[in-house]
Amino acid sequence: MPRFLLGLGRMLRMPVTEPGDQYSVWVGLIYIFNLIVGTGALTLPAAFARAGWGLSTISLLFLAFMSFLNATYVIETMASANAVYKWKRLQSIKRDSIQDHDSDEEHTNTQSSHGDLEEPLVCGDTIPSRYYSLDRHVELGEMANLFFNKIGRTAFYCALCTYLYGDLSIYSAAVAKSVMDVTCSPVPTNMTNSASWDHLPCFNSSAADPTAYTRLDLYRVALLTFVAVMGPFVFFNVQKTKYLQLFTSGMRWLAFTIMISMAIHLLIGRGPQGHPPAFDVTGMPTLFGVCVYSFMCHHSLPGLITPIRGKSHLGLHLSLNYAVIAIFYLLLAFTGAFAFAQLSDLYTLNFVPTDNENIFLEIVEYFLALFPVFTLSTSFPIIAITLRNNLQSLFLDTARLESYNFILRKLLFPIITVVPPILLTYYLEDISILIEFTGSYAGTAIQYFIPTFLVISARRHCTNLLGLGVVNHYKSPFSHVAWAVFVLLWSAMCIILVTVHIFEKNL
């Protein structure tokens, strides 16, 4: 058998991921569940109550479906990228084989052999279908480099960096606000206007005292302290975070379980305190941003899907995962919206510790109130380093990164990673606004526009490269071009409506 066919067989059958790094499909789905259910879920009950329980339920289920649809686009593009890499590898093997033949045989024999080399690419029945796989870990940025032109690549990195900036801003504000609410005296029950809460004295003192230390003052001190502690990590690389992530996942599951259980207990014990309307379209823009942010996973899907063993029914398993997450979100939102008369933008702040004779209950309340501090502090350095690396990819030639001077590589990019979120959240502590912007604009680009444009470009590229007869077994079930057009038109319409809402609100 010719050498190139032996090489082709090894290449198409040998997994790129090491066996020890692989896990079952159910473990992979748990990882994806933990990735999706994060900070966005903490802001869901308040947005759910504002938009009304009926409108919110319909919107949440629909946005879950839209997120799943685009997740299948990411998987199809991953398989297409694997096919392109395998095709390039095959071409390299063929060139080496031709050169070996040139040194040992006459030119006529070489021509004949060259004709044999081309055959599997065009008319083989089983070998070409194995081009498409999910063996190789291909990040979203690599897919953009493969299938987008220069303008598309720049747009991709701009959208990703904007989203990561929003992430860091939300994390910083959530941690600082949690510390503020735990440290300061409780807000008087007769104050219903949350806009004036931040200017209240932090500790029990006269509101007329000009020297009183306000809640906003403590918020800013907590913000600067948090960034001073976690910010320096951006100058280095954080590796081997497996146990840190397991710890964070355990804390998240415990906190969400306690919040749902306590809300159900309150509903049974004292009845519904919240009375959200069925439909309120004025709350829809905020709900849209929150839901997009809450279902975000597309930028990290490749790293979680590649090590999964047995991907033959991946789409079905992923759809079940999304269904479970949607039910979980509805349970969290419904119990919170009806259990509390007034909902904070960050749901954990509804469990601020009070003078309680039950020590165990008080410990639980402190744990819930400080939950964002524990979990987001572990994620902040990872997100910051990811943002720093993407900024370098956007502005520098990463192939010769070491050739740039020390100040540019080690100081400038870490600084421009951390400083903008500090400045933004120092003057804007409203988490709902941060999530509305991040989810509605950058989140829509990452979750809808980029996967759709990627899959369209990947299909065209692979058709030109491999021909129409090579089947992608990981093709999205929503492969008709009408679905892609629907996603793009619907996303554009939502962005326009959100923009109009923001302008009207600020007039």
Side-chain angles (χ1 to χ4, degrees), residues 40-45 47-48 50 63 284-295 329 432 435-436 439-440:
L42 298 178
T43 62
L44 193 58
F48 191 91
R50 288 182 195 135
L63 290 171
M284 187 60 197
T286 302
L287 179 68
F288 171 73
V290 168
C291 286
V292 170
Y293 190 74
S294 298
F295 283 107
Y329 279 169
S432 64
I435 289 187
E436 182 178 348
S440 299

Side-chain angles (χ1 to χ4, degrees), residues 269-378:
R270 64 185 189 185
Q273 299 296 305
H275 303 283
F279 286 82
D280 187 351
V281 293
T282 59
M284 187 60 197
T286 302
L287 179 68
F288 171 73
V290 168
C291 286
V292 170
Y293 190 74
S294 298
F295 283 107
M296 180 65 70
C297 66
H298 304 69
H299 56 302
S300 301
L301 268 182
L304 297 178
I305 286 179
T306 305
I308 292 177
R309 294 190 301 268
K311 305 181 182 74
S312 55
H313 300 290
L314 185 61
L316 175 62
H317 290 123
L318 192 61
S319 66
L320 294 175
N321 209 23
Y322 266 91
V324 171
I325 292 170
I327 294 171
F328 175 81
Y329 279 169
L330 287 174
L331 181 61
L332 179 72
F334 262 103
T335 54
F338 285 94
F340 297 96
Q342 189 79 24
L343 280 168
S344 299
D345 289 335
L346 202 65
Y347 188 45
T348 50
L349 299 183
N350 283 91
F351 302 90
V352 172
T354 56
D355 294 331
N356 202 310
E357 296 180 357
N358 190 325
I359 297 178
F360 174 76
L361 185 58
E362 191 168 359
I363 292 174
V364 170
E365 289 175 338
Y366 268 104
F367 167 73
L368 291 179
L370 293 173
F371 165 67
V373 179
F374 302 139
T375 57
L376 301 185
S377 295
T378 60

Side-chain angles (χ1 to χ4, degrees), residues 173-451:
V175 168
K177 220 169 184 184
S178 298
V179 172
M180 175 189 72
D181 276 297
V182 169
T183 306
C184 293
S185 302
V187 176
T189 54
N190 61 345
M191 288 200 65
T192 57
N193 184 11
S194 59
S196 59
W197 288 0
D198 293 337
H199 300 286
L200 290 173
C202 181
F203 307 105
N204 291 322
S205 60
S206 172
D209 184 2
T211 62
Y213 201 65
T214 66
R215 292 166 59 88
L216 182 60
D217 292 332
L218 185 67
Y219 165 84
R220 289 175 172 172
V221 170
L223 173 67
L224 295 176
T225 303
F226 170 72
V227 176
V229 172
M230 306 309 300
F233 285 100
V234 77
F235 291 90
F236 309 98
N237 285 317
V238 178
Q239 297 177 340
K240 297 182 179 180
T241 59
K242 175 183 176 181
Y243 295 107
L244 186 64
Q245 297 306 312
L246 289 175
F247 169 77
T248 303
S249 297
M251 296 276 281
R252 183 186 295 119
W253 273 97
L254 179 61
F256 280 118
T257 302
I258 292 174
M259 284 187 286
I260 293 173
S261 302
M262 289 185 70
I264 293 174
H265 176 75
L266 291 173
L267 284 171
I268 294 174
R270 64 185 189 185
Q273 299 296 305
H275 303 283
F279 286 82
D280 187 351
V281 293
T282 59
M284 187 60 197
T286 302
L287 179 68
F288 171 73
V290 168
C291 286
V292 170
Y293 190 74
S294 298
F295 283 107
M296 180 65 70
C297 66
H298 304 69
H299 56 302
S300 301
L301 268 182
L304 297 178
I305 286 179
T306 305
I308 292 177
R309 294 190 301 268
K311 305 181 182 74
S312 55
H313 300 290
L314 185 61
L316 175 62
H317 290 123
L318 192 61
S319 66
L320 294 175
N321 209 23
Y322 266 91
V324 171
I325 292 170
I327 294 171
F328 175 81
Y329 279 169
L330 287 174
L331 181 61
L332 179 72
F334 262 103
T335 54
F338 285 94
F340 297 96
Q342 189 79 24
L343 280 168
S344 299
D345 289 335
L346 202 65
Y347 188 45
T348 50
L349 299 183
N350 283 91
F351 302 90
V352 172
T354 56
D355 294 331
N356 202 310
E357 296 180 357
N358 190 325
I359 297 178
F360 174 76
L361 185 58
E362 191 168 359
I363 292 174
V364 170
E365 289 175 338
Y366 268 104
F367 167 73
L368 291 179
L370 293 173
F371 165 67
V373 179
F374 302 139
T375 57
L376 301 185
S377 295
T378 60
S379 302
F380 186 93
I382 299 171
I383 300 296
I385 291 170
T386 302
L387 174 58
R388 181 202 66 192
N389 293 339
N390 279 281
L391 287 171
Q392 289 177 338
S393 299
L394 179 60
F395 293 105
L396 302 179
D397 183 0
T398 54
R400 56 184 191 90
L401 197 59
E402 296 300 322
S403 65
Y404 295 99
N405 62 62
F406 176 83
I407 294 177
L408 187 64
R409 287 187 296 111
K410 298 295 186 181
L411 296 179
L412 179 62
F413 280 96
I415 290 173
I416 63 176
T417 297
V418 175
V419 170
I422 299 174
L423 294 177
L424 178 62
T425 50
Y426 188 86
Y427 295 102
L428 178 65
E429 71 277 8
D430 193 331
I431 297 175
S432 64
I433 294 177
L434 293 172
I435 289 187
E436 182 178 348
F437 178 84
T438 304
S440 299
Y441 292 101
T444 300
I446 296 295
Q447 190 170 147
Y448 299 140
F449 284 114
I450 287 174

